Amino acid sequence: MLYNQPNPLEVKVLSRRFTLPNSQSIETYLANDGYKALEKALDMTQQQIIDEVKASGLRGRGGAGFPTGMKWGFVPRQSPKPKYIMVNADESEPGTCKDRLLIEYDPHQLIEGVMIAALAVGSEQGYVYIRGEYRYLIDVMDRAIEEAYAKGVLGDNVMGRGKKFHLATHSGAGAYECGEESALLESFEGKRGNPRIRPPFPAVAGCYQSPTILNNVETFCAVPAIILSGAAYFSGLGSPKNGGTRLFCLSGHINKPGVYELPMGFNLMRMINEVGGGMRGGKKLKAVIPGGSSCPVLKANECDIAMDFDSVAAAKSMLGSGGVVVMDEDTCMVNAALRIMKFYAHESCGWCIPCREGTNWLKKLLTRFHEGMGTRSDIILIGDLSKNMLGRTFCPLGDAAAMPTIAFVEKFQDEFEAHLDGKPCPYENTSRPVTA
Amino acid sequence: MADLVKFTIDGRELEAPAGTLVIEAAKRNGIEIPSFCYCEGYSLQAACRMCLIDVEKMPKMQVACTLPVGAGMVIHTDSDQVKKARKSTLEFLLANHPLDCPVCDKGGECELQDMVFRYGAGESRFTENKLHVDEQQWSPVVFYDGPRCILCFRCVRACEEGMGVGALGVINRGAVSLIAPNHGDHLECDECGQCIDICPVGALTSGAYRYQTRPWEMEHVGTICTHCSDGCKTTLGVRNDEIIRGNNRDRSGINGEFLCAKGRYAYDFYNHAERIQSPLVRVGGKLEPVSWSKALEVVANKFGEIRSRSGEIGVIGSNHTTNEENFYLQKFARHGLNTNNIDHHRTGDVVTLIDALSGTTGQLATTQDLYEKKAFLVIGTDLALEHPFLSFQIRASHRHHEAHVYTITAEKVREDNYAVRAIRKPAGQEIDALEELRTALAVEPELVIIFSDSVKGDAVRKLVEFGQSLGTAVKYCALVDYSNSRGAIDMGVVPELLPGYQPSGKPGLSAQEMLASQTLEALWVVGANPLKDAAMASKKTFVVVQDMFLTETAQRADVVLPAASAYEKNGTVTNVCGEVQRLTRAVSAVGAKTDLEIIGLIAKEMGLAATVGPWVPDTVYNEIRKTVKGYNIPLAMLAVQSQQTAPVNGRVPVESRPDLIHSAHNGLFTSGTLGRYSKVLHTVMESRESRSAQEEMAHS
């Protein structure tokens, strides 16, 4: 089953094999440039691979946007400890649905990217941490891994060139926090999914306290194209310092929601209108979450921006995971803030006080507020509590809960005031409830 | 010694060794950085965020509990931002924290209360519904009030890391996280109660103390626990001359933050209903209450009459009485009653150890050595059950200093969990396994060897020979059972030795021989119960017993004199490592007198008071200082901290009588006679037995 109709404006690099029949199989992969980058990388030195990735301008596609080549460079390759490659397939950021497609439609691309990373740092073992809710994808990944072993791609003699690499999947168990890299490692090691004290960072002390490269699925998937077609090609697809393409997940009140691979720097309004097919039912645009629920919302008049890490940051939001959520004029912003806070309160791991208590308090407060039982001082309190969480929590989940809330209450104060004095939600009677 | 790093806190220029955490560096310089989850000695968490501070040139606030001091660091703990952060963290905590102060045991000694007083957020802006779960009772002595829990996880770490038990864990996620006991709805653990002490709020409270009083209504008396020989300090909360609770919140003893179930809860024997409160004299076959003067008269007349004919009198002393009482008793026996028949139930072969170490100094381990040294050999004992504080020290040394532990025991013991080598050998044959360990032990930088009564007599000599031949610095510890077992030997409560390991030069009956004798005319038993496991051969012997309860021996007695417990008197006791410590009287004895006074009164009644002198503990102690080798320690020093005695380092020219040495191997919830009269210990044991029975039925 196809995920959505491709759009002619797409630049299909990572997703170029999605529409091929039997795209999951290694046969299809090999017939379409499959594992050629790996062969090339087997002839490169570790430093050459890392330099190529650095030059490509690839930045982490999980949300933080950290330069990938630099991250790989932090691994102490001389260390006698074994090196690990860990794939973060715990895709849980609300609004994000791209990694599932990359695994479902082109699992071998992921394997190839992982193996090139392994060559870069001398790793012989990798794991794919897949969120437990993606049960069927764990099977897909396992089958692809089996195929790769059978073809001699994985194993003790990679492609007959004497190197070893082994790969296995590991299932998550339903926790958003386990997408945070150190919490993922804790969960992988069989412990509670609480994040770790950093420093040291995973590059130095990660899986089993050994040097680990931990990246998002999409980040690894970009690596074969970089190696095969060159860093200049990849970086040229995007904007300066924001190289390449990325998979944008367009959802919300648009005519053509779906996952589209577009160059970094593509304009957001164009994305909504020309790729997403414009607003559904001819409604007006009210707000857009540009990169997953952790990112501050953009008002309609703030959306004429390039979608790359630096430009969105300049607009005081984040490119994040590429989850673009489009909301029309009939959407209650208070309810949106509430729905997002419910998510964070549920997912807070409970380790640190500001996040655990802050998200819980805000959830209750926003619930009461949305029901019309809030006061003017509550509006101030919402912002105050959020600011008290910001920068003070153990891991960025607290920030992820605080920043959007601050944005909602500051940019849509009139909507909050419209819920005061027992007034019913002005959007209550629309036919499209936002709450779950 | 690490290099010193210079930095600034609140405008003060300070320095500390590289690697010191900012929170520690501040504390050592009198600057308090508040925290809940930071707990010295346990793994770092940085979870509570209370210790956030400003560091110049770092964009975000940093947690002081994981940040090591850096050269040139400029730190502010009193900036507006820091104050705001602390206040907001407390406000977050108080959102779901229930307003239980009026009914919460912790009120008055609660860290959350203290912090709110100091850092604000007393008035909350929270107007939503608080999360609630019902209180749970996890064991007879541990209650958990989930709503109060601030999830600092100190209890989890204290149990897992400190005790090696790991009976507490965390369940659920986010704001509905809770601490959970290892058996779902109840705890199966050592019941040490350290989780209760370490809890900063009233989430974990003591079932023995719950709802009884407020901390400020009690006077807190720190004294030495009267159970095993580890010598832990326990802090007794006393109100109206009654002990309401025991705990270790002040941590000022040799035991640091450690205290076990016996030290904490098992003071309650002292006011058991069956405690003897008046002297008893056998009249017409039955023990009748009489006045002190009457009882003393009976004893003095009988003893005096026997003494005048040079008839045989035997004295059995105690493992619990103070050094002063032991010294006094043997002095009166030898110089007043003219008898050398004096003994006590011996529980470890200290005598042979000291003899084997003749000519050396500094080879007897202290409890501090058990934390500082890097290798330990434990022989013949499950230390975690029998000497939990010693086990705690070794475990801490393993955690902090990567100490190596070796065990030679009959069954698996808790130390095996982190031992380098664990060897199984039946009791009495442990020495046979020593050579197996020679290579490993010889490369250890240092070693402490701890052994129980299964190594005695010649085996001790072989053990010391082995240790001395390793070519590394070795210290030894001969385990003994009770709170002053070591002191009893030091003070010569044995026929062969005078105080200070001088030979008595005279023959004398051992305790066993006294019981078997058909010619012994009087037997005076002080704080011991030899007839629990043995019978008295002669029905004609006149028996005088000083004790707290009508033990088996007291039931055979002709005169019973009620004695005070350790919590009702002053004096000194010596622990298993030879550390001398002071007892501080916590409550008054009701009807009973201290053993020292009773001995003195008997002497006085017999007209022999001059042979022993005044029955004032400090006076007797001063005499001990002058006459007993190794005990020349000023009382003032003992008031501040324990001091190890340095016994004679020459030969101890007597055989130690290994046939008479027998440890009771008490466990966590048993303690000889005293344990039998502790209701709390019984409740704990019964709850475990009934649980096991239930679980067996459930599984069958």
Side-chain angles (χ1 to χ4, degrees):
Chain A
M1 188 183 94
L2 260 159
Y3 55 107
N4 54 268
Q5 289 293 337
N7 183 289
L9 286 170
E10 286 185 73
V11 176
K12 284 176 138 350
V13 179
L14 276 66
S15 61
R16 68 188 186 282
R17 299 182 197 90
F18 280 16
T19 49
L20 295 175
N22 218 8
S23 64
Q24 287 176 352
S25 90
I26 196 170
E27 266 43 25
T28 311
Y29 193 63
L30 286 168
N32 288 277
D33 291 334
Y35 291 116
K36 290 218 179 90
L38 178 60
E39 275 185 40
K40 190 171 173 189
L42 281 161
D43 289 325
M44 295 165 76
T45 66
Q46 292 182 340
Q47 194 57 51
Q48 282 171 334
I49 299 175
I50 293 177
D51 287 340
E52 195 73 8
V53 175
K54 274 188 183 160
S56 73
L58 175 65
R59 290 164 70 162
R61 297 292 193 246
F66 192 85
T68 309
M70 195 189 292
K71 198 186 224 187
W72 292 13
F74 289 150
V75 171
R77 286 172 272 148
Q78 315 312 327
S79 163
K81 287 185 171 173
K83 322 287 180 303
Y84 292 95
I85 312 294
M86 184 67 73
V87 181
N88 187 342
D90 190 66
E91 177 169 71
S92 307
E93 180 77 10
T96 319
C97 49
K98 57 183 177 70
D99 296 335
R100 64 188 297 175
L101 298 179
L102 285 164
I103 294 178
E104 186 170 358
Y105 289 100
D106 206 351
H108 285 281
Q109 180 174 237
L110 174 59
I111 295 177
E112 189 174 12
V114 165
M115 293 182 76
I116 295 171
L119 289 174
V121 295
S123 161
E124 293 181 348
Q125 179 69 58
Y127 297 101
V128 187
Y129 184 102
I130 304 183
R131 71 186 293 214
E133 293 92 329
Y134 282 172
R135 178 70 246 166
Y136 73 108
L137 288 176
I138 297 175
D139 295 335
V140 169
M141 201 66 225
D142 282 341
R143 278 202 303 275
I145 290 174
E146 257 178 62
E147 286 185 324
Y149 271 106
K151 270 281 194 289
V153 173
L154 287 168
D156 287 335
N157 193 2
V158 172
M159 302 184 100
R161 299 287 298 274
K163 293 226 187 268
K164 281 192 201 140
F165 191 71
H166 293 273
L167 189 64
T169 55
H170 180 93
S171 173
Y176 167 75
E177 175 65 13
C178 289
E180 197 282 328
E181 58 180 18
S182 64
L184 187 154
L185 292 168
E186 288 288 286
S187 165
F188 177 79
E189 291 179 18
K191 297 178 259 180
R192 273 175 76 84
N194 294 137
R196 294 176 177 172
I197 297 172
R198 270 100 26 96
F201 290 88
V204 173
C207 191
Y208 305 126
Q209 297 302 315
S210 303
T212 304
I213 285 184
L214 200 155
N215 276 119
N216 175 263
V217 169
E218 190 184 352
T219 313
F220 281 117
C221 287
V223 172
I226 292 170
I227 296 298
L228 201 53
S229 311
Y233 162 74
F234 189 80
S235 79
L237 293 172
S239 46
K241 293 219 189 105
N242 293 266
T245 58
R246 90 152 310 166
L247 274 66
F248 288 95
C249 316
L250 299 196
S251 68
H253 302 144
I254 47 179
N255 284 311
K256 294 189 185 163
V259 178
Y260 303 95
E261 186 172 359
L262 298 163
M264 288 284 271
F266 198 91
N267 181 276
L268 178 55
M269 286 312 298
R270 281 192 72 200
M271 207 184 282
I272 294 169
N273 294 323
E274 297 176 40
V275 182
M279 299 303 293
R280 212 162 58 175
K283 298 279 183 180
K284 274 176 36 202
L285 176 67
K286 182 190 273 192
V288 177
I289 295 174
S293 62
S294 310
C295 307
V297 67
L298 297 169
K299 294 208 296 238
N301 61 5
E302 293 174 324
C303 290
D304 190 7
I305 55 169
M307 287 293 270
D308 64 38
F309 290 107
D310 297 328
S311 308
V312 184
K316 302 261 189 339
S317 183
M318 286 126 58
L319 185 67
S321 62
V324 182
V325 181
V326 183
M327 292 176 276
D328 71 17
E329 57 189 304
D330 289 338
T331 315
C332 174
M333 291 290 105
V334 177
N335 206 4
L338 168 60
R339 184 60 194 91
I340 290 174
M341 188 52 70
K342 274 189 188 169
F343 173 78
Y344 289 109
H346 181 68
E347 297 291 344
S348 171
C349 75
W351 183 243
C352 74
I353 293 174
C355 173
R356 172 181 90 223
E357 302 296 336
T359 55
N360 186 258
W361 187 346
L362 281 165
K363 179 190 80 173
K364 291 176 179 169
L365 206 173
L366 285 164
T367 306
R368 173 173 60 84
F369 194 91
H370 185 249
E371 284 168 11
M373 294 190 291
T375 64
R376 199 163 287 275
S377 58
D378 282 330
I379 300 178
I380 301 170
L381 188 56
I382 292 168
D384 208 31
L385 292 177
S386 304
K387 291 195 188 111
N388 282 341
M389 286 196 327
L390 204 55
R392 303 209 188 132
T393 54
F394 189 89
C395 87
L397 194 153
D399 297 335
M403 289 187 305
T405 315
I406 293 170
F408 277 118
V409 86
E410 282 179 358
K411 296 186 182 182
F412 295 99
Q413 176 148 358
D414 53 325
E415 294 216 15
F416 280 81
E417 286 179 1
H419 285 75
L420 289 176
D421 304 321
K423 294 201 283 280
C425 175
Y427 306 94
E428 208 77 293
N429 294 326
T430 67
S431 57
R432 287 169 303 181
V434 181
T435 172
Chain B
M1 178 68 184
D3 298 325
L4 286 178
V5 169
K6 286 194 189 351
F7 53 95
T8 309
I9 302 185
D10 298 342
R12 287 171 53 188
E13 286 177 14
L14 304 166
E15 58 182 31
T20 310
L21 298 168
V22 169
I23 196 171
E24 278 297 318
K27 193 195 313 189
R28 286 175 212 170
N29 286 285
I31 300 171
E32 187 199 17
I33 297 179
S35 73
F36 288 114
C37 71
Y38 173 71
C39 211
E40 208 184 331
Y42 295 122
S43 55
L44 298 178
Q45 298 208 160
C48 70
R49 316 309 283 177
M50 198 60 197
C51 66
L52 284 168
I53 40 146
D54 264 330
V55 182
E56 283 183 20
K57 301 204 192 112
M58 287 175 128
K60 280 170 42 161
M61 282 195 286
Q62 301 293 316
V63 281
C65 64
T66 52
L67 183 67
V69 290
M73 228 183 224
V74 181
I75 297 161
H76 298 281
T77 72
D78 56 357
S79 67
D80 282 342
Q81 200 191 178
V82 170
K83 288 184 185 155
K84 190 160 190 286
R86 288 177 184 163
K87 189 171 172 186
S88 74
T89 304
L90 288 171
E91 187 183 29
F92 278 133
L93 211 47
L94 290 170
N96 276 310
H97 192 85
L99 213 50
D100 276 0
C101 297
V103 298
C104 172
D105 282 345
K106 209 74 172 189
E109 49 186 22
C110 169
E111 291 182 45
L112 182 57
Q113 279 182 339
D114 292 346
M115 293 232 206
V116 172
F117 273 119
R118 197 167 294 184
Y119 303 112
E123 275 192 47
S124 178
R125 298 180 286 179
F126 185 83
T127 54
E128 324 301 328
N129 285 329
K130 292 181 187 264
L131 291 168
H132 177 78
V133 286
D134 288 340
E135 77 185 26
Q136 300 164 45
Q137 181 166 14
W138 286 347
S139 88
V141 290
V142 180
F143 274 77
Y144 179 66
D145 281 87
R148 299 177 192 165
C149 179
I150 62 169
L151 296 168
C152 66
F153 312 115
R154 283 188 195 174
C155 56
V156 177
R157 286 174 284 160
C159 193
E160 169 82 49
E161 300 170 16
M163 290 300 287
V165 173
L168 294 171
V170 191
I171 54 168
N172 301 341
R173 180 175 81 197
V176 296
S177 301
L178 288 169
I179 307 295
N182 58 347
H183 278 243
D185 62 347
H186 70 279
L187 278 168
E188 300 242 335
C189 62
D190 291 353
E191 309 280 358
C192 70
Q194 281 174 70
C195 54
I196 295 169
D197 270 353
I198 213 173
C199 179
V201 297
L204 285 167
T205 51
S206 159
Y209 166 69
R210 202 164 161 80
Y211 298 146
Q212 290 199 42
T213 187
R214 285 300 189 188
W216 58 83
E217 290 181 359
M218 292 184 286
E219 193 201 325
H220 288 95
V221 180
T223 188
I224 307 303
C225 169
T226 186
H227 291 284
C228 84
S229 62
D230 290 355
C232 300
K233 179 173 176 187
T234 177
T235 306
L236 301 173
V238 180
R239 183 189 64 177
N240 294 338
D241 210 17
E242 195 189 332
I243 303 177
I244 309 284
R245 74 170 178 190
N247 67 12
N248 186 25
R249 280 171 51 82
D250 85 313
R251 302 187 180 189
S252 61
I254 58 174
N255 44 319
E257 71 260 38
F258 172 85
L259 196 61
C260 83
K262 291 191 280 195
R264 184 181 303 276
Y265 304 114
Y267 58 82
D268 64 335
F269 67 84
Y270 95 99
N271 64 356
H272 193 280
E274 287 174 33
R275 183 93 189 263
I276 312 168
Q277 291 183 341
S278 99
L280 304 167
V281 168
R282 196 171 291 277
V283 175
K286 263 188 58 180
L287 284 171
E288 300 283 345
V290 297
S291 68
W292 273 100
S293 49
K294 177 70 184 165
L296 291 168
E297 193 190 312
V298 169
V299 174
N301 285 346
K302 192 66 177 174
F303 281 2
E305 190 267 319
I306 299 171
R307 175 181 179 273
S308 65
R309 291 183 283 106
S310 301
E312 280 182 53
I313 301 180
V315 179
I316 297 182
S318 172
N319 275 282
H320 284 288
T321 46
T322 62
N323 291 323
E324 291 78 2
E325 285 159 350
N326 294 339
F327 180 83
Y328 208 64
L329 179 64
Q330 62 82 37
K331 190 176 177 199
F332 182 54
R334 288 169 165 135
H335 300 292
L337 299 179
N338 298 328
T339 178
N340 203 38
N341 300 331
I342 176 158
D343 198 6
H344 72 287
H345 165 208
R346 314 180 205 190
T347 57
D349 203 348
V350 178
V351 176
T352 309
L353 175 64
I354 291 180
D355 188 34
L357 290 174
S358 297
T360 70
T361 47
Q363 283 202 265
L364 292 174
T366 61
T367 51
Q368 187 63 15
D369 285 330
L370 293 180
Y371 172 62
E372 286 172 359
K373 299 303 176 199
K374 302 271 184 27
F376 302 94
L377 171 58
V378 178
I379 304 176
T381 170
D382 193 342
L383 222 49
L385 302 184
E386 299 178 33
H387 291 272
F389 171 49
L390 305 186
S391 174
F392 185 84
Q393 293 288 78
I394 292 175
R395 192 174 311 110
S397 185
H398 170 76
R399 268 179 24 240
H400 294 163
H401 310 136
E402 294 173 350
H404 293 161
V405 177
Y406 304 82
T407 60
I408 308 176
T409 54
E411 314 268 330
K412 186 164 160 31
V413 294
R414 192 177 297 172
E415 271 65 38
D416 290 352
N417 291 338
Y418 46 90
V420 172
R421 291 283 310 278
I423 301 176
R424 296 283 91 83
K425 273 274 186 241
Q429 296 173 36
E430 295 93 345
I431 300 297
D432 300 339
L434 287 176
E435 277 308 315
E436 264 180 76
L437 294 174
R438 178 179 287 281
T439 344
L441 294 177
V443 297
E444 296 289 358
E446 59 206 356
L447 180 66
V448 177
I449 303 182
I450 303 152
F451 59 95
S452 74
D453 69 325
S454 53
V455 180
K456 52 192 176 188
D458 245 11
V460 176
R461 292 189 202 284
K462 291 207 185 87
L463 178 62
V464 172
E465 228 181 270
F466 172 80
Q468 307 295 79
S469 74
L470 287 173
T472 186
V474 186
K475 289 196 177 194
Y476 302 84
C477 176
L479 293 175
V480 292
D481 280 5
Y482 295 108
S483 60
N484 205 19
S485 295
R486 171 66 189 271
I489 308 170
D490 288 355
M491 293 300 141
V493 186
V494 287
E496 316 87 51
L497 291 172
L498 295 180
Y501 299 92
Q502 307 305 313
S504 66
K506 296 196 190 127
L509 298 173
S510 69
Q512 268 85 324
E513 286 159 352
M514 290 184 226
L515 294 181
S517 165
Q518 291 287 3
T519 51
L520 197 68
E521 296 193 48
L523 178 64
W524 184 12
V525 181
V526 175
N529 190 15
L531 295 183
K532 178 168 191 295
D533 298 313
M536 244 187 118
S538 163
K539 294 210 196 323
K540 294 184 295 187
T541 315
F542 185 82
V543 177
V544 177
V545 170
Q546 287 174 221
D547 212 321
M548 296 179 237
F549 300 101
L550 271 178
T551 60
E552 287 83 345
T553 312
Q555 286 165 40
R556 160 67 180 85
D558 296 284
V559 180
V560 180
L561 301 167
S565 75
Y567 299 141
E568 296 155 351
K569 61 188 172 188
N570 294 319
T572 63
V573 288
T574 308
N575 78 355
V576 64
C577 292
E579 290 162 306
V580 186
Q581 306 190 86
R582 285 187 85 164
L583 292 179
T584 306
R585 190 172 72 86
V587 288
S588 327
V590 178
K593 293 184 188 292
T594 67
D595 288 290
L596 189 69
E597 192 181 353
I598 298 173
I599 300 164
L601 288 173
I602 292 176
K604 173 167 168 249
E605 194 72 18
M606 291 174 71
L608 297 168
T611 61
V612 279
W615 47 87
V616 176
D618 287 3
T619 314
V620 179
Y621 184 74
N622 282 328
E623 194 183 339
I624 291 175
R625 279 190 65 188
K626 290 196 205 104
T627 57
V628 181
K629 185 135 187 185
Y631 270 79
N632 189 12
I633 308 159
L635 263 179
M637 271 183 86
L638 286 185
V640 176
Q641 59 183 71
S642 68
Q643 292 287 331
Q644 193 188 31
T645 87
V648 56
N649 68 351
R651 293 305 305 269
V652 181
V654 296
E655 279 304 305
S656 73
R657 300 297 304 274
D659 55 308
L660 301 176
I661 294 171
H662 177 71
S663 161
H665 286 280
N666 284 303
L668 290 172
F669 310 119
T670 54
S671 174
T673 305
L674 298 182
R676 291 159 74 191
Y677 290 92
S678 165
K679 286 215 171 81
V680 175
L681 290 183
H682 280 288
T683 317
V684 165
M685 285 194 286
E686 278 160 25
S687 84
R688 295 156 85 86
E689 280 163 16
S690 71
R691 291 276 182 194
S692 314
Q694 271 174 23
E695 275 161 8
E696 259 196 63
M697 279 176 58
H699 289 169
S700 66

